Amino acid sequence: MKPPPPVDGPTLPDAAAERALAHDDAPTVRDALPAAPPDEPAAAPQSWRDRFGRPPRGPLLLGLAASLLMVIGGFGAGGVLIHDPLLSNSPLGFWRYGHGRDLAAFTVYLGVGLMVWAWVRLGRDVLAHRVGGRGVLTVSGVWMAPMLVSTPLFTRDVYSYLAQGGLPLAGFDPYAVGPEVMPGLFSDNVHYFWQDTPAPYGPLFILIAKAVAWLAGDGMILGVVLMRLVMLPGLLLLVWALPELTRRLGGRVPVALWVAVANPLMVVHMVGGGHNDLLVVGLLAAGALVALRGGHIAGIALVTAAMATKASAGIALPFLVLVWAAHMSGSQRARIVKATAAGVGVFLVVFTACTVAAGVGLGWLPALSAPSMIVNWMSIPTAVGEFTHTLVAGIVNVPKQPFINVARALGGLLLVYIAATQWWSARDGGPDAVRRAGVVLLAVAVLSPATLPWYVSWGMALLAATAWSLRGLTVTVFLSVMLTIAYYSHGEDALYDAPYLLTWALVAVVAAVSLRRPDPLRLAGAARRRPRQAADAVPAGAGSGAR
């Protein structure tokens, strides 16, 4: 999902290229009102729509309907509780079983399709300069609001979070044991795959999860809602940081917000799924912006907090060190050494504080290998290993795992090479270092032994702020749709269901083409031709009545 280089076509900050996409009579909506002359007061907004950026009604209402459909369907086909206190013994219990559950699943996927349609329509308005950044945020907020009370969508991870927070409350080390040692509501709802797996998250997240588990008690529904709410500061940090980060990295604010905030991946997975990656991306974006502003200690502290939530965020720290080094005196080598020493000092203070506050040790480091137990082709090395095994297995019967292990090792070497070359290329610091940090974070997501759809958000939190070509956005639409539906609505892997994937691939292609051509299937032209053909088929004189 990385933006193509400029040679692919005109980048979106090029106003002439974008105006070519807009209708001649399309109104131009600015991201901010022009500054008023010193002797004249600024004009007051004329209506609530002005205050909220004049959001386009069509995409706003369509996306809201999509969210409501997903919430309603999610109560039957989402990551539902094993024993739901609201539905299990009520007249609405049919929604979770048999044909009722099938109807609920259809409702969820209908909502996903409408959400994609709404997102593409909003994207066309963004490209045509009919809506600015504030309007995109308003639409996104309306889409996300229903998700706050939804069952977990396309995942069951939030139940793992609650269980990992409950373990220390029950006297267990979450880095030594899995939820299965603590029978009860928390562990009962954890996916079987993670029942005996220690927490692979940092001490800051364990502290947060412990607080949520304590507040929720035995109320699992309350726990799910609270877990979403404590992740929302990540979204707020992302929304706060992205506009200025975009201006510094050369992108367009409405485009960046459309890619990173309004994206179905954000609405459905990050908010609807309640993933802790939402907190990570907010801390990453905020830390990068603060560092570029000159607040190097605070910037590294914020990204350290992101790493204390999920270790992958630590990839950005060496790049922020380069941003700091560019503001120091001396030779380049001396500046990098001094900035590295200072950055390590900040990291140790912040990380130690998080660890002490959480009351845990460093046992989470061995648990970082837990996601590698996932085997699916979303990870490029794993896909290469599986494909190679398929070719060889057609000739001789051999086990699959050695092929996967070798491919993952080669993928690890490639990742080290990409990280090292990007870091060295960013040695002059500045916004380029932040952009290259985004490239490496995205590479980590797709070259690691295991990849999950929401992992791409790490790099996209920074890369969304860069200049995008229209071709890059078209590819992003396709990949976003496919990543959104990579798991079934109840949280199980759908990556080996060929008919399911093919159906959604067709939807994704139509959505991607629709960003550039509003009627890719030429349905409007067909509708106009049908009345004309019907009129031509009427016999002469048939329209005259008898006299």
Side-chain angles (χ1 to χ4, degrees):
M1 291 180 65
K2 67 179 182 179
V7 296
D8 287 342
T11 56
L12 291 176
D14 181 351
E18 290 188 42
R19 281 194 295 270
L21 296 172
H23 299 294
D24 293 338
D25 58 348
T28 299
V29 180
R30 299 176 183 269
D31 293 335
L33 295 175
D39 57 343
E40 294 182 13
Q46 296 179 351
S47 68
W48 70 268
R49 293 195 71 230
D50 294 314
R51 289 194 294 271
F52 288 96
R54 300 190 65 81
R57 287 190 179 90
L60 185 147
L61 295 176
L62 183 62
L64 175 60
S67 289
L68 292 173
L69 285 172
M70 283 186 275
V71 170
I72 293 170
F75 287 116
V80 297
L81 292 167
I82 301 301
H83 302 290
D84 191 319
L86 297 180
L87 294 183
S88 292
N89 298 312
S90 75
L92 298 177
F94 78 95
W95 199 237
R96 296 186 54 191
Y97 306 102
H99 295 305
R101 189 180 180 283
D102 293 340
L103 181 59
F106 173 80
T107 303
V108 171
Y109 288 111
L110 176 60
V112 173
L114 293 178
M115 179 62 69
V116 170
W117 184 13
W119 183 52
V120 170
R121 288 182 60 183
L122 180 63
R124 292 204 296 259
D125 286 336
V126 167
L127 295 182
H129 290 267
R130 290 191 290 267
V131 63
R134 188 180 301 179
V136 173
L137 286 179
T138 298
V139 172
S140 303
V142 171
W143 293 353
M144 293 175 182
M147 294 294 176
L148 297 178
V149 295
S150 170
T151 59
L153 292 173
F154 295 89
T155 184
R156 299 188 67 85
D157 282 4
V158 68
Y159 300 127
S160 294
Y161 301 162
L162 291 169
Q164 288 154 2
L167 284 171
L169 294 177
F172 297 102
D173 181 356
Y175 295 149
V177 297
E180 67 177 1
V181 303
M182 183 184 61
L185 289 175
F186 283 148
S187 59
D188 287 349
N189 289 285
V190 175
H191 192 282
Y192 70 88
F193 194 83
W194 304 114
Q195 283 284 353
D196 60 350
T197 305
Y201 307 117
L204 177 58
F205 183 71
I206 294 298
L207 178 63
I208 293 171
K210 184 161 62 172
V212 172
W214 178 77
L215 288 171
D218 291 335
M220 292 298 295
I221 295 176
L222 176 62
V224 170
V225 174
L226 287 177
M227 189 61 72
R228 278 204 187 92
L229 293 178
V230 299
M231 295 298 109
L232 279 185
L235 177 62
L236 297 178
L237 285 172
L238 179 64
V239 168
W240 170 77
L242 202 53
E244 185 177 340
L245 200 60
T246 301
R247 296 184 183 101
R248 290 175 179 268
L249 269 63
R252 261 195 69 214
V253 173
V255 173
L257 293 171
W258 178 76
V259 168
V261 179
N263 197 307
L265 268 175
M266 173 64 75
V267 178
V268 178
H269 280 294
M270 304 287 273
V271 180
H275 291 287
N276 58 9
D277 303 77
L278 184 57
L279 187 59
V280 172
V281 297
L283 291 168
L284 276 172
L289 175 59
V290 170
L292 289 176
R293 285 180 169 181
H296 305 292
I297 293 176
I300 288 179
L302 285 168
V303 175
T304 301
M307 182 181 174
T309 301
K310 214 160 192 175
S312 52
I315 296 295
L317 289 172
F319 292 88
L320 296 194
V321 164
L322 296 177
V323 175
W324 196 349
H327 291 80
M328 293 181 171
S329 59
S331 66
Q332 186 178 73
R333 178 174 296 180
R335 286 187 280 115
I336 292 177
V337 170
K338 288 190 292 185
T340 300
V344 169
V346 174
F347 168 81
L348 290 176
V349 169
V350 174
F351 200 86
T352 300
C354 292
T355 301
V356 171
V360 296
L362 297 178
W364 66 296
L365 295 176
L368 292 178
S369 62
S372 65
M373 296 188 298
I374 301 172
V375 177
N376 67 50
W377 56 260
M378 287 184 65
S379 160
I380 293 177
T382 302
V384 170
E386 288 191 314
F387 181 71
T388 305
H389 170 262
T390 300
L391 295 179
V392 174
I395 302 173
V396 57
N397 186 20
V398 290
K400 180 192 293 187
Q401 195 59 42
F403 290 85
I404 293 176
N405 293 341
V406 171
R408 286 177 168 179
L410 294 176
L413 293 175
L414 177 59
L415 181 57
V416 170
Y417 171 78
I418 292 173
T421 55
Q422 289 293 320
W423 184 83
W424 183 244
S425 298
R427 60 189 179 276
D428 292 331
D432 184 57
V434 172
R435 182 182 66 83
R436 293 182 184 276
V439 171
V440 177
L441 284 166
L442 189 60
V444 168
V446 299
L447 291 177
S448 292
T451 300
L452 294 173
W454 41 94
Y455 287 5
V456 299
S457 64
W458 310 333
M460 292 304 294
L462 303 180
L463 291 179
T466 61
W468 285 79
S469 70
L470 185 56
R471 183 183 301 175
L473 292 177
T474 303
V475 173
T476 296
V477 170
F478 175 83
L479 294 178
S480 296
V481 174
M482 296 307 295
L483 288 171
T484 300
I485 55 83
Y487 276 64
Y488 294 121
S489 61
H490 52 77
E492 294 293 341
D493 184 354
L495 291 169
Y496 296 90
D497 185 342
Y500 172 86
L501 293 179
L502 180 59
T503 299
W504 278 103
L506 295 174
V507 173
V509 168
V510 172
V513 176
S514 293
L515 184 66
R516 306 178 66 165
R517 193 165 63 233
D519 186 17
L521 301 179
R522 303 185 184 279
L523 298 178
R528 285 194 299 268
R529 285 193 299 270
R530 277 195 296 270
R532 186 179 305 166
Q533 292 169 353
D536 293 343
V538 176
S544 57
R547 293 178 181 264

